[in-house]
Amino acid sequence: MTLELLTFGCRLNTYESEAMRDLAGKAGQQGIIVNTCAVTAEAERQARQAIRRAARENPGTPIIVTGCAAQIAPDKWATLPGVTRVIGNADKLKPEAWSLDAPPAPVTDIMAATETAAHLVTEFAGRARAFVQVQQGCDHRCTFCVIPYGRGPSRSVPIGAIVEQVRALVAHGYKEVVLTGVDITSYGPDLPGQPRLGQMVRRLLALVPELPRLRLSSLDPAGMDDDLWRLIAEEPRLMPHLHLSLQHGADLILKRMKRRHLRADALALARRARALRPGLALGADLIAGFPTETDEHFAEMLDLVAQMELAFLHVFPYSERPGTPAARMPALPMPVRKARAAHLRAAGAAGAARFYAARLGEEEAVLFEREDRGHTAHFAPIRLASGQAEPGTLRRLRVTGAEAGGLLAEAA
C-alpha cells in the first residue's frame, strides 16, 4: 500500500498537501489523504465524488480527510465510505497528528488558533514552481465567504521561517517561488514589529539573492502597502503580474459583499501599477450572479474588466455557502449565474487575446513546466513551436504568435 494525496482548491492547499505528504510518509502512514476545499459547493461535490471513487476502486484502503470543508463539517465527511479519520486544519501540519499511534480525535476549534504550524517543504511533486505559506486565516467577513470558519483568524509566518523555506527551495533547484496564504495582504500585525507584506518581501529578496523569481498569490486591493508598491516599481525579481481579489465591478454589489474597496479603487490600482511597471499584467477573481445582481450591475463588471485591461480571470458563478449572510439574500436562478459566468469568461478570453497580441515579437523569460511549454514572467502560458527544454529551467524565448491557450515562441 502506498500514500496518495488528492488536493482540491487553492495554492495554500497545494503547499499544505506537500507538507502532509512528508509528515505522513515519515510517520509510516499509508492510504489516501483528501485535502478538501469549501470555497464553492462544486469544490465540495468534487471532493465527495473523489472519496467515493477512491473507496470503490481501493476497497479496504484507509482514507483520511482534511482541509476547509472537513474543518467546517467534520461529521458529514466522516460518514463517507472508506473514511477512517478526519483531521482539522489546525492539526494537519502537526507531526503528532500523523503518528500511527495517534488516537482518533475530534476536530479542534480553528477559531482558537494563534499561530501557524511551521514545516519545511523542499519538493512539490510534478511542479516547476514552489509555493510558500506566509500567512493563514482571515479576519474579514465577506458576506459570501465561509473560508474564515475553515481557516480561523489571520496569523503570519515569521520572516525568518519564510527565508529558511525559500533558501531550501532554491537549493533544491526551484527558480520561482509563489508566496501564498488566505489573505497575504493581512500579513504581519501579529508579529513583533508588525511588518507589512511589502517589508517582508523586501527583506526576503535581500536575504535570498539567489532566488531568480518571486510571485505573489491573490492580493486584496485594500491591503497593498507602500513598500509593496515600491517593489513593484523597482524590483525586477518580483514578477510583473498581479492577481487581485476584486470579486465584482459594481459598487452596490461590492458593498453587499462587504468588500473593503470600491470600483474607483480598483481602477486607480490598475493605473498606478502600470505607471510604475509598464506592461504589467493584471488578473482577478470575479463572482458572477451574486444575490441581487441586476443586468446593469453585471454590465458594470464587464466594463471594469475592459477598463482595467484584465488579462487573466478566475470566474466563479455565485455559490451559496450555508451560514453566510449572502446565503440569506435574494438569489438569482442558477441558469442566470452560469450564463453570466460564461459571458464573463468570454470577456476574460478576449482580454487575454489582446494581451497575447501585444507580446508578439517580444523576448520572454520562460519557466518551463513541461518540455515544450511554461509561463512567462507575466504568467502568460507559452509553448515552443519546435524543440524542448528541461522542466524547471528558465530560458529566453521570442514570441512568434498566439493561440487560444497562450503564446507561441522560438528560442531567442
Side-chain angles (χ1 to χ4, degrees), residues 133-359:
Q133 175 189 258
V134 300
Q135 180 271 344
Q136 176 67 267
C138 186
D139 291 336
H140 308 304
R141 292 296 181 268
C142 297
T143 59
F144 55 84
C145 187
V146 75
I147 297 305
Y149 305 102
R151 290 286 181 180
S154 181
R155 50 213 191 272
S156 310
V157 178
I159 293 176
I162 297 170
V163 169
E164 181 185 11
Q165 173 71 89
V166 173
R167 278 182 178 149
L169 288 164
V170 175
H172 277 75
Y174 284 96
K175 303 293 192 296
E176 181 175 308
V177 166
V178 184
L179 302 185
T180 188
V182 177
D183 175 22
I184 66 171
T185 56
S186 290
Y187 181 88
D190 54 320
L191 295 176
Q194 300 186 333
R196 298 289 302 276
L197 175 64
Q199 183 182 350
M200 181 269 285
V201 172
R202 179 167 51 79
R203 290 178 62 185
L204 171 63
L205 288 168
L207 291 169
V208 193
E210 64 272 29
L211 173 67
R213 290 165 55 137
L214 183 68
R215 198 179 296 277
L216 305 176
S217 61
S218 189
L219 300 168
D220 184 341
M224 294 180 66
D225 61 88
D226 289 340
D227 265 333
L228 186 57
W229 282 114
R230 279 192 289 272
L231 287 165
I232 289 168
E234 300 168 2
E235 179 50 73
R237 291 187 294 155
L238 182 63
M239 294 295 92
H241 163 243
L242 301 179
H243 191 84
L244 306 171
S245 178
L246 291 183
Q247 309 306 346
H248 213 278
D251 282 347
L252 183 60
I253 299 300
L254 288 167
K255 290 176 182 177
R256 287 174 177 166
M257 288 178 164
K258 206 174 178 182
R259 298 294 293 162
R260 298 186 299 148
H261 71 277
L262 296 174
R263 176 189 181 88
D265 300 318
L267 290 167
L269 185 155
R271 287 192 297 269
R272 183 177 182 181
R274 291 201 173 102
L276 294 173
R277 194 84 168 265
L280 176 139
L282 289 175
D285 297 323
L286 293 170
I287 296 173
F290 187 80
T292 76
E293 180 190 81
T294 64
D295 289 342
E296 291 75 17
H297 294 145
F298 184 65
E300 286 187 69
M301 181 151 57
L302 289 172
D303 181 66
L304 185 75
V305 170
Q307 284 201 50
M308 291 183 68
E309 299 179 30
L310 297 177
F312 308 113
L313 298 187
H314 291 172
V315 175
F316 305 88
Y318 170 71
S319 178
E320 287 91 350
R321 301 282 72 204
T324 60
R328 299 190 296 272
M329 298 179 186
L332 273 62
M334 186 56 75
V336 173
R337 301 183 217 175
K338 290 183 175 179
R340 288 181 179 174
H343 194 170
L344 199 52
R345 290 189 186 104
R354 287 189 292 271
F355 182 81
Y356 299 153
R359 305 305 300 174

Side-chain angles (χ1 to χ4, degrees), residues 15-30:
Y15 165 83
E16 290 172 336
S17 285
E18 294 306 322
M20 287 188 289
R21 186 193 306 277
D22 185 52
L23 290 168
K26 287 177 178 176
Q29 288 281 355
Q30 295 181 326

Side-chain angles (χ1 to χ4, degrees), residues 27-40:
Q29 288 281 355
Q30 295 181 326
I32 299 169
I33 300 171
V34 182
N35 197 5
T36 63
C37 173
V39 72
T40 64

Side-chain angles (χ1 to χ4, degrees), residues 96-121:
E96 58 269 25
W98 298 100
S99 169
L100 295 178
D101 300 326
V107 170
T108 55
D109 180 11
I110 193 68
M111 303 311 288
T114 58
E115 58 185 29
T116 56
H119 186 77
L120 200 64
V121 177

Side-chain angles (χ1 to χ4, degrees), residues 56-78:
R56 189 169 58 249
E57 296 175 355
N58 304 274
T61 299
I63 299 174
I64 300 173
V65 183
T66 186
C68 290
Q71 173 68 45
I72 292 167
D75 294 343
K76 182 171 70 174
W77 295 87

